[in-house]
Amino acid sequence: PVNVMACSKIAVLSGHTYAERLWCAWELFVVFAFAPEEAAERAVYLPLHEDHDGLEQLQRFDARNARCFDPNEQARLQEVILAVGIDDFNERVRTWARRAAPRHDFWASLPSILRVSEGAGFL
């Protein structure tokens, strides 16, 4: 969470499986949990495919259907999510997706997205 929150912008590079990846949802949750007013601006949605609407998938996100490559990491994340409350976790991810503005000009906007202020990171 510290690394995510230290970033001035987070690129949500959304492919067809993004909404099924628990780590991806965890990063969105962290941004929304600690800076809900800024979340839609800080986490920039960038679809990797023109025919892909990952925001629509994320608006229906359910952590019970998301997975990690490593089952040990998945179990640890699920423990934390259950402690927070799975419905609250899901709602924060869904709320970010409802507020996020789609950026379909990915390649054209990449140089400006990657510009960060001095001392700021980019995840």
Side-chain angles (χ1 to χ4, degrees):
V2 173
N3 291 334
V4 171
M5 291 310 300
C7 299
S8 61
K9 295 272 188 200
I10 296 171
V12 177
L13 300 172
S14 179
H16 296 292
T17 62
Y18 187 88
E20 301 165 9
R21 297 174 182 237
L22 195 54
W23 269 113
C24 296
W26 175 258
E27 291 170 350
L28 289 176
F29 171 79
V30 167
V31 170
F32 201 88
F34 292 101
E37 298 81 26
E38 304 169 9
E41 293 176 19
R42 291 188 60 213
V44 181
Y45 175 76
L46 302 165
L48 294 177
H49 309 283
E50 287 184 27
D51 65 339
H52 175 63
D53 189 358
L55 289 176
E56 185 176 309
Q57 288 179 330
L58 285 168
Q59 289 172 14
R60 296 185 314 271
F61 177 80
D62 189 334
R64 290 173 278 257
N65 300 324
R67 303 282 177 257
C68 293
F69 178 77
D70 181 341
N72 296 313
E73 287 184 1
Q74 182 173 322
R76 283 188 294 240
L77 280 177
Q78 287 173 335
E79 282 181 41
V80 175
I81 292 167
L82 288 174
V84 167
I86 196 163
D87 292 332
D88 186 44
F89 183 88
N90 288 340
E91 189 53 37
R92 289 179 192 234
V93 173
R94 293 172 186 163
T95 298
W96 175 84
R98 285 191 296 271
R99 293 181 182 175
R103 297 282 305 264
H104 295 284
D105 57 342
F106 173 70
W107 296 112
S109 63
L110 188 60
S112 65
I113 291 167
L114 291 177
R115 271 188 239 120
V116 293
S117 61
E118 187 175 325
F122 192 92
L123 178 65

